[in-house]
């Protein structure tokens, strides 16, 4: 250590008596950040890995052989990369099976409508449900027309404003529709843009109401049905869904590390989720998040950069329809959580990087400002007020500070949870800049002279 410090001081021409020794971010960090950025952006290695993962295994839905095989492949590759303590950590995950499904417009004319059942939905009877449709534009609108809803298929035609607001209709639309006597619940896909592509996603029931089938139509068809209703036309649909929930099965969180040189028990954890929905290739949701964290660690290893503290990369399982990976991580590492310096999640796509969001103390935020400033060369130098992520939520509730990797979000929800979440949408240069962002942030935080304050 002493030799390394001396070399760094010589290399950076800084006397130990200057104020620099008190700064958390040192000239050696600046030099190593430059090396990581150069290594990350010299080629398309990360994009290639996302494409390989997506193309080889297809959708990686919880409880499927696709996901099991993908996890095995990632673990084998991580070992090949020379990463340390590579292992799968067990988690029991739900198994929802979509089966055959269809939506057919019966009146005022006949047409098959592209649709996707929502994850967790019950199926219809074998012959489907044929019923009149009531289109509403909000929960308030449903309440105002509650008397008309009995025996009907309710369709929520709710324009996308932001994900958090609009996704309420996917999550709880079936509960509210069942309360007013509807026989099925449909949503307009949760997206700001559509090429007649339906978007799936999670939904839930409450314990008291009846469970009615729930599915998503495209923006094009939801708005068309709404126009038909406005014209006074009678709309009738036939919905068929074989969806069912089977017993839980075993899955695994993917874990790899670079052990710290001085304080190996102090941990910076970062990653994304290895599972995806059962459509598309899970390239951006969230193959990209897993791969950029993994590549960041691989580059540190390749450059011989071993920070003072341990960096642990995790590909959490079952984020999409259960969050069991995040919960299993919290439980398996309960005694370590006080030593978790920060948790960093990437689950917003791997488009042009912007920076990071952070939830933690003001003292930590002040230090992180200096860390993030190192990412100016790749445009990821903005520190935003709130950080976190679904998978790191359970450990943040136990006091671990959280960061979210933030990118330009313009296009993410165009492809989110659809058959179009594939590698061609991602730009290798942008992906490589995200690797640089994850690498620099994790490395410097793990190597700070003092532990990031809580
Ligand atoms: Zn995701």
């Amino acid at each position: 250590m002493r030799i390394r410090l001396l070399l760094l001081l010589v290399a950076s021409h800084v006397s130990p008596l200057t104020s620099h020794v008190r700064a958390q971010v040192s000239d050696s960090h600046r030099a190593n950040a430059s090396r990581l950025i150069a290594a990350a952006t010299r080629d398309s290695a990360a994009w290639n890995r996302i494409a390989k993962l997506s193309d080889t295994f297809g959708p990686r839905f919880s409880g499927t052989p696709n996901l099991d095989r993908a996890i095995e492949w990632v673990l084998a590759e991580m070992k090949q990369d020379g990463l340390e303590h590579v292992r799968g950590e067990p988690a029991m995950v739900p198994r929802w099976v979509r089966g055959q499904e269809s939506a057919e417009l019966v009146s005022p004319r006949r047409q098959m409508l592209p649709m996707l059942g929502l994850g967790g939905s019950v199926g219809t009877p074998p012959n489907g449900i044929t019923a009149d449709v009531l289109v509403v534009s909000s929960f308030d609108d449903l309440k105002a027309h509650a008397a008309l809803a009995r025996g009907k298929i309710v369709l929520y035609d709710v324009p996308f404003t932001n994900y958090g607001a609009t996704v309420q209709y996917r999550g709880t639309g079936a509960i509210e529709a069942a309360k007013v006597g509807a026989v099925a619940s449909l949503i307009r896909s949760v997206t700001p843009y559509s090429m007649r592509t339906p978007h799936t996603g999670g939904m839930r029931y409450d314990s008291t109401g009846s469970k009615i089938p729930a599915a998503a139509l495209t923006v094009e068809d939801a708005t068309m049905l709404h126009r038909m209703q406005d014209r006074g036309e009678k709309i009738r649909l036939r919905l068929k869904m074989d969806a069912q929930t089977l017993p839980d099965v075993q899955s695994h969180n993917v874990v790899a590390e670079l052990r710290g040189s001085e304080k190996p028990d102090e941990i910076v954890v970062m990653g994304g989720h290895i599972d995806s929905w059962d459509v598309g290739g899970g390239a951006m949701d969230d193959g990209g998040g897993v791969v950029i964290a993994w590549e960041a660690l691989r580059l540190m290893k390749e450059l011989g950069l071993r920070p003072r503290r341990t960096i642990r990369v995790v590909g959490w399982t079952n984020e999409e329809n259960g969050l069991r990976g995040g919960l299993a991580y919290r439980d398996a590492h309960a005694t370590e959580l006080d030593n978790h310096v920060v948790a960093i999640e990437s689950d917003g796509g791997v488009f042009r990087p912007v920076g990071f969001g952070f939830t933690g103390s003001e003292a930590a935020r002040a230090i992180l400002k200096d860390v993030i400033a190192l990412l100016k060369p790749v445009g990821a130098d903005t520190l935003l007020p709130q950080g976190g992520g679904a998978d790191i939520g359970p450990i943040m509730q136990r006091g671990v500070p959280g960061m979210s990797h933030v990118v330009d979000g313009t296009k993410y929800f165009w492809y989110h949870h659809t058959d179009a979440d594939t590698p061609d949408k991602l730009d290798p240069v942008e992906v490589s800049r995200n690797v640089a962002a994850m690498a620099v942030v994790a490395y410097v935080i793990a190597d700070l002279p003092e532990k990031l304050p809580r």
Side-chain angles (χ1 to χ4, degrees):
M1 179 55 213
R2 217 178 306 149
I3 290 168
R4 189 177 76 154
L5 185 64
L6 184 67
L7 286 173
L8 296 175
L9 292 170
V10 169
S12 55
H13 309 287
V14 174
S15 152
L17 298 176
T18 69
S19 62
H20 283 258
V21 287
R22 295 192 53 202
Q24 291 276 307
V25 177
S26 66
D27 285 344
S28 77
H29 292 141
R30 276 179 265 281
N32 288 332
S34 296
R35 293 176 67 201
L36 285 166
I37 291 168
T41 56
R42 77 188 162 206
D43 60 25
S44 302
W47 189 94
N48 289 341
R49 257 186 168 156
I50 295 169
K52 171 88 174 169
L53 175 66
S54 179
D55 296 345
T56 306
F57 304 103
R60 303 179 300 279
F61 195 45
S62 288
T64 64
N66 286 15
L67 176 59
D68 294 344
R69 285 196 284 264
I71 288 170
E72 278 170 30
W73 175 78
V74 175
L75 291 171
E77 291 279 302
M78 284 174 155
K79 282 179 188 159
Q80 200 113 52
D81 290 343
L83 304 184
E84 298 157 8
H85 290 224
V86 175
R87 77 264 188 189
E89 296 186 348
M92 294 301 288
V93 298
R95 177 145 195 244
W96 179 76
V97 180
R98 172 181 306 284
Q100 294 293 312
E101 56 182 16
S102 62
E104 183 182 8
L105 180 63
V106 174
S107 168
R109 61 181 175 81
R110 294 190 89 98
Q111 184 182 12
M112 298 308 296
L113 306 180
M115 58 81 76
L116 280 173
L118 299 182
S121 176
V122 296
T124 63
N127 288 329
I129 291 171
T130 305
D132 291 352
V133 176
L134 172 68
V135 187
V136 297
S137 48
S138 67
F139 286 130
D140 286 343
D141 195 21
L142 177 65
K143 283 198 185 99
H145 297 91
L148 299 174
R150 182 153 302 277
K152 296 218 175 98
I153 297 172
V154 163
L155 165 61
Y156 296 95
D157 176 31
V158 182
F160 185 94
T161 47
N162 62 72
Y163 186 66
T166 314
V167 80
Q168 303 297 327
Y169 291 88
R170 193 187 78 206
T172 62
I175 296 172
E176 297 306 317
K179 277 183 193 164
V180 291
V183 292
S185 174
L186 299 175
I187 57 163
R188 162 173 167 166
S189 287
V190 181
T191 183
Y193 178 79
S194 181
M195 296 276 277
R196 205 151 179 254
T197 311
H199 295 235
T200 191
M203 58 80 62
R204 56 188 177 274
Y205 298 111
D206 64 10
S207 52
T208 53
S210 65
K211 295 183 175 181
I212 59 172
L217 299 181
T218 64
V219 171
E220 288 85 342
D221 290 330
T223 52
M224 176 183 74
L225 297 182
H226 206 160
R227 290 193 300 274
M228 287 172 166
Q229 175 174 287
D230 290 346
R231 290 183 198 116
E233 293 165 9
K234 177 182 158 79
I235 311 162
R236 211 165 158 76
L237 271 184
R238 181 164 177 226
L239 183 69
K240 274 183 79 170
M241 292 169 63
D242 289 344
Q244 55 178 324
T245 299
L246 301 176
D248 289 359
V249 297
Q250 177 119 86
S251 184
H252 293 88
N253 289 333
V254 169
V255 185
E257 296 176 352
L258 200 56
R259 297 294 287 174
S261 60
E262 289 178 19
K263 295 170 176 172
D265 293 341
E266 293 182 6
I267 294 154
V268 169
V269 63
M270 69 168 165
H273 60 89
I274 187 66
D275 68 307
S276 75
W277 276 101
D278 59 336
V279 294
M284 63 191 86
D285 188 14
D286 183 22
V290 171
V291 168
I292 60 169
W294 168 14
E295 282 288 300
L297 202 64
R298 182 182 69 79
L299 291 175
M300 287 176 222
K301 176 85 188 173
E302 186 188 301
L303 295 175
L305 296 177
R306 186 177 291 277
R308 292 180 168 100
R309 297 174 191 80
T310 294
I311 300 178
R312 177 182 292 161
V313 165
V314 182
W316 284 277
T317 194
N318 186 230
E319 186 272 343
E320 296 291 7
N321 63 326
L323 209 64
R324 302 282 187 83
L327 295 167
Y329 182 89
R330 176 197 66 194
D331 295 342
H333 298 276
T335 59
E336 274 183 350
L337 294 182
D338 286 347
N339 276 331
H340 273 54
V341 176
V342 71
I344 310 166
E345 180 154 358
S346 173
D347 189 19
V350 283
F351 296 100
R352 181 178 58 77
V354 169
F356 290 84
F358 176 65
T359 294
S361 69
E362 284 309 306
R365 177 178 300 281
I367 295 165
L368 288 178
K369 266 190 188 147
D370 290 343
V371 176
I372 303 272
L374 301 172
L375 287 166
K376 199 168 176 57
V378 290
D381 55 334
T382 304
L383 186 60
L384 295 153
Q386 298 293 323
D391 299 290
I392 63 174
I395 62 172
M396 287 180 68
Q397 283 172 0
R398 296 283 170 89
V400 178
M403 294 179 80
S404 39
H405 166 236
V406 180
V407 302
D408 172 13
T410 310
K411 294 180 183 171
Y412 182 65
F413 289 105
W414 296 8
Y415 311 114
H416 185 248
H417 299 178
T418 74
D419 274 315
D421 179 356
T422 47
D424 53 290
K425 312 301 186 309
L426 303 172
D427 172 19
V429 173
E430 289 179 349
V431 171
S432 76
R433 289 177 182 158
N434 288 307
V435 175
M438 293 293 271
V440 168
V441 162
Y443 172 77
V444 176
I445 294 173
D447 197 59
L448 291 172
E450 286 160 38
K451 188 178 170 187
L452 197 68
R454 283 210 174 171

